Amino acid sequence: MSSTHAIRERLRDAGASFAANDNIAEYLLPGDIDVIQAEVEQHVQAVLEALVIDTSRDHNTKATAKRVARMYVREVFAGRFEPAPEVTDFPSLNELYTLGPIAVRSTCSHHLVPMTGRMWVGVVPGEKVIGISKFVRLANWIMSRPHIQEEAAVMLADELERRILPKGLAVIVRAQHQCMIWRGVRETDTIMITSIMRGAFRDDRTLRSEFMALIKDQP
């Protein structure tokens, strides 16, 4: 059976990046996910012990390490380990369309606490379009990794641009960060907005205004 050390060496030998928001699915072998999860569980257990929590007698935390490991590997950071979702494209229409709000669920890579919000996408199609559910699947795949919001929005825009080759692409993300709410300054009302305008949306002020007007009344 492999080990996380062997996985890291495999990535280094391939010259692959494995930063927090990278996807490493193509370098994983069968069984590697189980290995990663088992090692995460060991280290989470060590954190609980370092916090002087008696998990052997505290029924509330007895299985916490196992639950946290599964949550990290199979759910909130699944976008690091799973391959990209399949996306089918269709013949294009030559009209602006928008999607949103799409739920954003990610994790701050600085403190490993949630950042949640909503996202809107605007597209002026090029030669092809994809089904609207695929925007959600791609967003979930990109966002299910430790991130900072600015990089997450750029990565999603890059992925969409690569997939659909649009004449114009707009991505707006509005999110709250638990690293500000739960700790630190403990500010509960601040929302961070990231706006990416490419192609026709960047060059045509009228088109950009139309997109903003279309999403203005959405919740």
Side-chain angles (χ1 to χ4, degrees):
M1 183 175 283
S2 183
S3 67
T4 58
H5 174 75
I7 295 168
R8 287 191 294 273
E9 288 303 307
R10 191 186 311 147
L11 289 158
R12 291 190 182 102
D13 289 345
S17 173
F18 50 103
N21 59 7
D22 283 322
N23 178 273
I24 60 172
E26 66 179 291
Y27 302 100
L28 297 179
L29 302 177
D32 279 351
I33 294 294
D34 293 331
V35 169
I36 293 169
Q37 184 174 324
E39 187 161 328
V40 171
E41 181 180 340
Q42 292 175 9
H43 290 299
V44 173
Q45 181 62 35
V47 169
L48 293 171
E49 292 174 3
L51 291 169
V52 199
I53 296 174
D54 185 1
T55 59
S56 64
R57 292 189 292 182
D58 175 13
H59 66 278
N60 289 321
T61 56
K62 191 170 186 178
T64 293
K66 182 184 293 292
R67 287 191 293 262
V68 171
R70 180 175 179 79
M71 176 187 70
Y72 278 161
V73 177
R74 309 282 180 171
E75 298 178 273
V76 296
F77 299 157
R80 299 197 72 240
F81 309 117
E82 295 177 353
E86 293 292 329
V87 174
T88 303
D89 57 76
F90 308 95
S92 177
L93 303 172
N94 193 27
E95 299 290 342
L96 163 66
Y97 66 95
T98 70
L99 296 99
I102 297 170
V104 170
R105 304 176 190 88
S106 194
T107 306
C108 167
S109 56
H110 294 163
H111 294 95
L112 296 186
V113 294
M115 56 181 179
T116 56
R118 300 195 174 206
M119 178 181 72
W120 292 261
V121 178
V123 178
V124 178
E127 296 181 1
K128 55 187 178 181
V129 297
I130 59 176
I132 59 176
S133 67
K134 301 305 185 289
F135 285 88
V136 178
R137 294 184 187 279
L138 287 169
N140 288 338
W141 181 64
I142 292 289
M143 294 294 180
S144 295
R145 310 172 193 180
H147 273 296
I148 62 171
Q149 181 175 325
E150 306 94 303
E151 290 181 354
V154 169
M155 287 180 71
L156 180 59
D158 288 346
E159 185 70 21
L160 291 173
E161 200 164 31
R162 185 179 70 81
R163 298 275 188 149
I164 62 178
L165 302 174
K167 295 178 182 176
L169 178 68
V171 176
I172 293 180
V173 178
R174 295 167 50 93
Q176 285 191 306
H177 295 233
Q178 288 296 322
C179 55
M180 283 187 62
I181 297 172
W182 192 36
R183 57 160 299 281
V185 294
R186 299 188 179 183
E187 170 55 60
T188 59
D189 296 325
T190 299
I191 294 175
M192 181 175 181
I193 302 174
T194 306
S195 175
I196 297 174
M197 302 288 163
R198 294 183 177 175
F201 285 102
R202 180 190 60 234
D203 301 333
D204 187 334
R205 180 178 296 179
T206 301
L207 182 65
R208 189 163 62 247
S209 297
E210 181 182 357
F211 167 67
M212 299 303 294
L214 286 170
I215 70 171
K216 179 180 178 181
D217 294 328
Q218 293 177 331

